[in-house]
Amino acid sequence: MKKYGLLGYPLSHSFSRNYFNQKFEAENIDAAYVNFEIPDIKEIKNVLKENPDLYGLNVTLPYKTQVIPFLDELDEDARQIGAVNVIKFAKGRFGKKKLVGYNSDIIGFKQSIEPFLKPSHQKGLILGTGGASKAVFHSLKQLNITPTYVSRQEKDLCLTYEQLTPEVMKEYTVIVNTTPVGMYPKINDCPDIPYDLLTPGHLLYDLLYNPDTTLFMKKSAAKGATVKNGLEMLLLQAFAGWEIWNK
């Protein structure tokens, strides 16, 4: 039996374990998916030592960046983003396993937003500057959309929420929320953008998927904007991870 798993801390609300084990059962795949809830990334060494039958790992918060020094190689997307959420166990020299890091978030986001894009979507705002925002930034660039981060604090090459003027909102017609603001149970919260400046020409994408329709999406839809949550991205990045492990 092949073994796959998830590195992170905490993992109580993990999507991956149920998804993959249901997939293995439905498709009669002789494999199991387990959670490795480790309080320190250095414990990855013990995980690898104690599980020689591992064929692949997913990586979630807070280790998408911290795991990189423990890998032998990075895919180009993962290198540019500076974050890894899929580790493939490849054959290295002298029969030794080689750990290769990938980022399937970029695949999931690109594939899920692409059908909604129009020629007028030339510039995008990314709310938040955390790990997920990096994958969105590089995805938008690959889709020929000029991305700009929005942060609560002043940072280089970032706008603040106070700087989202009517001129900015008119110019940036794609807005992606990569923050946890509005996630269950705090469903009455939403990112502090000027919703009254949204139009039917805007596309607003929330990486959150619990609840299905966040307040960010509701307030945007009320202005006629196109809205989308992150559930499809979650599924697509899982599909991509499976393909990476088995290619």
Side-chain angles (χ1 to χ4, degrees):
M1 178 183 284
K2 292 182 177 180
K3 187 188 287 185
Y4 301 88
L6 175 66
L7 288 177
Y9 190 85
L11 294 177
S12 55
H13 300 294
S14 162
F15 151 88
S16 300
R17 183 170 63 181
N18 286 342
Y19 168 79
F20 279 108
N21 282 324
Q22 286 172 9
K23 175 185 175 69
F24 297 155
E25 186 177 350
E27 299 179 21
N28 292 315
I29 297 170
D30 189 22
Y33 192 100
V34 297
N35 283 349
F36 297 106
E37 193 170 38
I38 55 176
D40 190 308
I41 189 57
K42 291 177 184 175
E43 291 189 29
I44 188 177
K45 293 179 180 178
N46 294 331
V47 169
L48 298 175
K49 185 177 179 181
E50 294 166 11
N51 297 275
D53 49 351
L54 268 173
Y55 279 75
L57 285 168
N58 288 124
V59 185
T60 189
L61 298 174
Y63 300 135
K64 289 186 180 185
T65 301
Q66 294 180 40
V67 76
I68 290 175
F70 297 90
L71 306 179
D72 299 300
E73 198 175 297
L74 289 181
D75 166 73
E76 182 59 23
D77 279 342
R79 188 190 65 76
Q80 286 189 17
I81 294 166
V84 164
N85 74 323
V86 177
I87 299 173
K88 178 175 181 173
F89 288 62
K91 287 182 180 178
R93 297 177 66 186
F94 309 114
K96 186 182 176 184
K97 282 183 180 176
K98 180 172 70 170
L99 304 186
V100 186
Y102 294 81
N103 193 302
S104 67
D105 286 337
I106 193 170
I107 300 168
F109 179 74
K110 275 175 64 179
Q111 289 181 350
S112 61
I113 196 173
E114 207 161 7
F116 296 87
L117 295 176
K118 298 175 181 176
S120 58
H121 294 139
Q122 298 291 315
K123 292 187 176 183
L125 296 174
I126 302 170
L127 311 182
T129 57
S133 70
K134 296 176 183 178
V136 171
F137 185 93
H138 286 279
S139 296
L140 291 179
K141 280 176 67 176
Q142 290 180 10
L143 291 165
N144 297 314
I145 297 171
T146 303
T148 298
Y149 289 116
V150 180
S151 173
R152 286 177 297 176
Q153 287 87 33
E154 288 191 14
K155 297 180 181 179
D156 289 343
L157 305 176
C158 278
L159 294 172
T160 63
Y161 286 89
E162 291 73 26
Q163 292 172 323
L164 300 182
T165 62
E167 292 76 21
V168 169
M169 294 296 289
K170 184 177 180 180
E171 193 176 356
Y172 288 82
T173 52
V174 177
I175 303 175
V176 184
N177 177 38
T178 71
T179 77
V181 178
M183 184 169 65
Y184 181 85
K186 297 183 178 179
I187 61 173
N188 294 319
D189 293 344
C190 61
D192 187 20
I193 66 169
Y195 294 92
D196 58 314
L197 297 176
L198 296 176
T199 70
H202 281 86
L203 167 60
L204 285 93
Y205 189 121
D206 200 332
L207 262 57
L208 302 178
Y209 52 88
N210 185 11
D212 288 340
T213 307
T214 60
L215 186 58
F216 170 76
M217 294 168 64
K218 288 177 183 175
K219 294 179 74 166
S220 303
K223 292 296 179 181
T226 301
V227 297
K228 183 169 177 59
N229 72 14
L231 183 59
E232 187 184 18
M233 173 183 170
L234 185 74
L235 293 169
L236 289 170
Q237 66 84 18
F239 298 160
W242 179 248
E243 288 178 5
I244 287 167
W245 290 330
N246 291 281
K247 69 181 180 181

